[in-house]
Amino acid sequence: MDPISDSPPVKSLPTVALKKKRAMPFFNQHPWVFTGAVLSVSGNPEPGDEVIVRDDSGKFVARGLFNSNSNIRVRLYSWDENTALDRAFWDQQIKDAVALRVDYVQNESTTACRLINSEADGLSGLTVDRYGDWLLVQLTSLALAERKEILFDLLVEHCSPRGIWLRTEKGIRQLEGLEIQDGLVRGEEPDRSISIRENGLTFVVDVAEGQKTGFFLDQRDNRRALAQYTAGHRVLDLFSYSGGFGITAAALGDAASVICVDSSQPALDSAQQNAEANGVSEKIECIKSDAFKYLETARDESAQFDTIILDPPKMTRTQSGAKTALRAYHSLNDLAVSVLRPGGILVTCCCSGHISPDDFNRMLSGVATASGRRIQILESRGHAADHPVSPNCPENAYLKCLICRVL
Ligand code: SAH
């Protein structure tokens, strides 16, 4: 029997026992058992092995995959004692994930989406993005990396991609003790600029070298929402990356002009390419600058915009950094408001998971007070539907996007 593709019977599986009073989150289907919750491990599991998790009285909690190299000692996948973590199980999870996107997200005008969103799709440690005919896979758990050949085969079976590219996020190898090689794992090598459709527009994506996984798919619906407000506007798209917001405002939202600002030249080169692909290059100007510095200069020159988008990268990776990050969000938003005309639209985003929606709202309330401007939140938004969130693992809800009118 292949220990990876076929799960052994329950009785012969190693067991991880949880400390007294620490089992409740896992009965409630939280998928991460951290080292601190573990009372004992029996049966000598190797990293990647399937284990049974029990509470301190021996009651079955869940089936999961063990990793002694990681702070997440066990990732849980099945809360049914009889559902083994075998090929049939992974097959069903992938099928369910793909069906969500086929039914509700992908269509002629949107050919790129997050196909598998880790915990929320019951596949903790696996993220897959579809870019047209290609799939980009990220493995963030050693146990799933050990099962990668099965997962790749199943993705081929269910999605028939032209190729699958594997890419590993910085830092994950050390966190999980992963030894995997990035690159082509199935089919044909993708182009350096894959052309995708989003909301009926065309964007180029570099899956190998582009930031994050090549494109910020999570903002798709927020870009379309913004387009309702921008007719005739002078738009400032800060932290523009490849121009997702700005180009949508110009092409779908009929904005008069858009300035895309980013500190990365390759990002702006893609923005320029995207502007051309959508026939709006005359409206788009790309400026390489630090966004804070750009705003300070604009304020000193008394510039005015009708719409400003703020979509900065994550400002903290830890809870302890949240306070400092909130101060940075405050300065950024305060600066933006100072160059926004009365009645203008502010789209302010936060992708730091350690900052709650309430904290972010409070930050904005502080900006209203400090600037003496009245801010109305018109839409309080999050990720698009292809980035579902599990109510059992709210840690995965990171994106906040507020569309506001500033008087
Ligand atoms: N709004 C984009 C995604 C933004 S990702 C979209 O819709 O696709 C964050 C971007 O901020 C990255 O492109 C990164 O290069 C840029 N960036 C990071 N720090 C910056 C800074 N201080 N000033 C300007 N851009 C910055």
Side-chain angles (χ1 to χ4, degrees), residues 211 216 223 239-241 244-245 262-264 267 289-291 311 313:
Q211 291 190 37
F216 292 81
R223 295 183 184 120
F239 308 93
S240 67
Y241 187 54
F245 276 103
D262 202 283
S263 55
S264 152
S289 168
D290 172 81
D311 186 18

Side-chain angles (χ1 to χ4, degrees), residues 150-192:
I150 293 178
L151 299 172
F152 298 155
D153 285 347
L154 290 170
L155 286 168
V156 167
E157 200 176 300
H158 295 301
C159 308
S160 313
R162 269 177 76 180
I164 303 181
W165 188 266
L166 179 67
R167 186 167 163 179
T168 309
E169 208 184 308
K170 253 196 253 150
I172 291 291
R173 285 190 173 80
Q174 295 84 313
L175 279 177
E176 283 281 313
L178 271 180
E179 285 173 25
I180 46 173
Q181 183 87 40
D182 287 359
L184 187 70
V185 294
R186 289 289 186 278
E188 291 170 44
E189 190 145 329
D191 254 9
R192 283 301 300 274

Side-chain angles (χ1 to χ4, degrees), residues 191-206:
D191 254 9
R192 283 301 300 274
S193 52
I194 299 177
S195 187
I196 58 129
R197 306 276 293 160
E198 177 186 275
N199 296 321
L201 303 177
T202 301
F203 292 93
V204 292
V205 179
D206 177 354

Side-chain angles (χ1 to χ4, degrees), residues 199-256:
N199 296 321
L201 303 177
T202 301
F203 292 93
V204 292
V205 179
D206 177 354
V207 293
E209 300 286 337
Q211 291 190 37
K212 203 180 178 195
T213 59
F215 199 67
F216 292 81
L217 295 164
D218 49 357
Q219 294 279 25
R220 180 192 318 109
D221 292 357
N222 300 332
R223 295 183 184 120
R224 198 183 46 217
L226 166 69
Q228 297 169 44
Y229 300 94
T230 55
H233 282 196
R234 293 157 298 164
V235 174
L236 176 60
D237 181 6
L238 291 160
F239 308 93
S240 67
Y241 187 54
S242 58
F245 276 103
I247 287 163
T248 307
L252 285 190
D254 208 17

